[in-house]
Each structure stands twice: as C-alpha cells, then as structure tokens.
C-alpha cells in the first residue's frame, strides 16, 4: 500500500514543473527553474563594441565573463535602465551561460505540465518565437520563455 502512494507521489511530481517568474514592465514571464544558476543584484555591465542592441555588456562573475542581456529589449520592449531594484537572473542552457536583466523576480511556481498551453501562432518567423508556453496562475497570464531562442547563439557571436 505504501509503495503505491510513493509511486503516485513520484508520478505527480513528474507531471509538475517548477518555474521562476519575473516581471518586465507590466508583463510576467517565467523560465524553467532547472536552467537558473543564481539570482544576483543588479551590477553595471561593461559595454562591448559592435554587440547586438539587446546585449547590455559583460560582468565578471567569479572570474568568468558573463554576457548580460536586457531581456526587455530582446523581447521588443523599451530598455531597462538598470538600478538597484533590478536583478540579473543567471541562466544556463545548452552549455551557454548568460545573465538576463529583468525588473524583478516575483515567484517560484509549481505548475502542472498539463496547465502549460502552447502560445497562438502569431509570428511569421518560427525561429524568433521565444515563448514556448502560457499558463494562468491566480488570474495572471504568465509567458514561459524558450531560453535557447532568447540567448545569443554561438554562430551569431562568431559570424562577425
């Protein structure tokens, strides 16, 4: 009997995903918490010449040069000016690590995978679609980012 309860709990846990929710302006987004390495306070990034407009620059993260992406600009919104209220979410996906500059972290959410809905197909370019899913939490529509399309690719970085 106890084995059945443990199996059921394991199955329920496998059907849920933990997300880190954050704000950009009046909008809420989230990323899979498994891709988050740390959350750090805002620090001024050193700009690099000829970098894309959404790349604020780089910071020193314990001896590693970390690119910082202004996520608002990357998603087509006005830039984040950057002050002590902002945070940098350090994420890693496909062996690439970057910092995402956001307005504020709001929640850690546990969401059933069944509650993640695909976004409507509104973009002409499938490659530029950075929203992988939508979910409703406490009457708030939260967009889940597809990090591999948000982060600059190694090909684009070396193509200059």
């Amino acid at each position: 009997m106890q084995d059945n309860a443990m199996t059921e709990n394991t199955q329920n846990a496998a059907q849920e995903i933990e997300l880190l929710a954050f704000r950009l302006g009046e909008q809420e987004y989230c990323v899979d918490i498994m891709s988050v390495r740390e959350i750090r306070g805002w620090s001024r990034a050193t700009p690099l010449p000829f970098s894309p407009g959404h790349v604020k620059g780089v910071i020193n993260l314990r001896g590693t040069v970390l690119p910082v992406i202004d996520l608002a600009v990357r998603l087509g919104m006005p830039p984040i000016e950057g002050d002590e209220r902002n945070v940098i979410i350090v994420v890693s996906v496909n062996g690439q690590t970057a910092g995402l500059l956001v307005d504020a972290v709001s929640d850690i959410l546990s969401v059933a995978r069944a509650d993640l809905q695909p976004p409507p197909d509104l973009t002409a370019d499938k490659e530029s679609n950075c929203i992988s899913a939508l979910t409703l939490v406490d009457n708030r529509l939260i967009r889940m980012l597809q990090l591999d399309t948000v982060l600059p690719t190694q090909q684009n970085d070396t193509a200059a």
Side-chain angles (χ1 to χ4, degrees):
M1 191 83 155
Q2 190 174 14
D3 287 340
N4 288 343
M6 286 176 50
T7 302
E8 188 174 312
N9 286 342
T10 303
Q11 287 173 346
N12 288 343
Q15 294 171 356
E16 283 197 349
I17 184 171
E18 282 198 328
L19 306 170
L20 178 70
F22 54 88
R23 284 187 303 101
L24 285 174
E26 297 299 314
Q27 300 180 21
E28 281 194 86
Y29 291 86
C30 65
V31 293
D32 186 336
I33 203 157
M34 296 306 291
S35 62
V36 175
R37 297 294 161 248
E38 68 180 89
I39 300 167
R40 50 182 292 126
W42 179 80
S43 56
R44 186 170 305 281
T46 303
L48 294 177
F50 306 111
S51 60
H54 60 272
V55 177
K56 274 283 203 211
V58 294
I59 60 172
N60 180 353
L61 182 66
R62 293 182 293 285
T64 301
V65 176
L66 183 76
V68 176
I69 297 168
D70 185 334
L71 195 53
V73 172
R74 181 70 175 104
L75 299 177
M77 295 181 246
I80 296 173
E81 294 306 317
D83 62 30
E84 61 277 349
R85 294 173 299 178
N86 301 122
V87 295
I88 297 173
I89 302 171
V90 179
V91 295
S92 183
V93 64
N94 298 330
Q96 187 174 5
T97 305
L100 303 177
L101 179 62
V102 302
D103 286 328
V105 169
S106 51
D107 277 321
I108 294 177
L109 308 168
S110 287
V111 176
R113 290 188 186 273
D115 290 341
L116 295 174
Q117 311 233 349
D121 185 15
L122 301 175
T123 60
D125 181 11
K126 294 280 187 221
E127 297 299 314
S128 66
N129 189 9
C130 2
I131 306 298
S132 62
L134 301 168
T135 188
L136 195 62
V137 176
D138 299 329
N139 291 324
R140 301 176 349 233
L141 186 63
I142 301 176
R143 303 147 193 89
M144 184 172 178
L145 287 179
Q146 188 170 323
L147 284 176
D148 54 356
T149 59
V150 171
L151 297 181
T153 62
Q154 296 296 342
Q155 288 177 330
N156 290 347
D157 291 345
T158 58

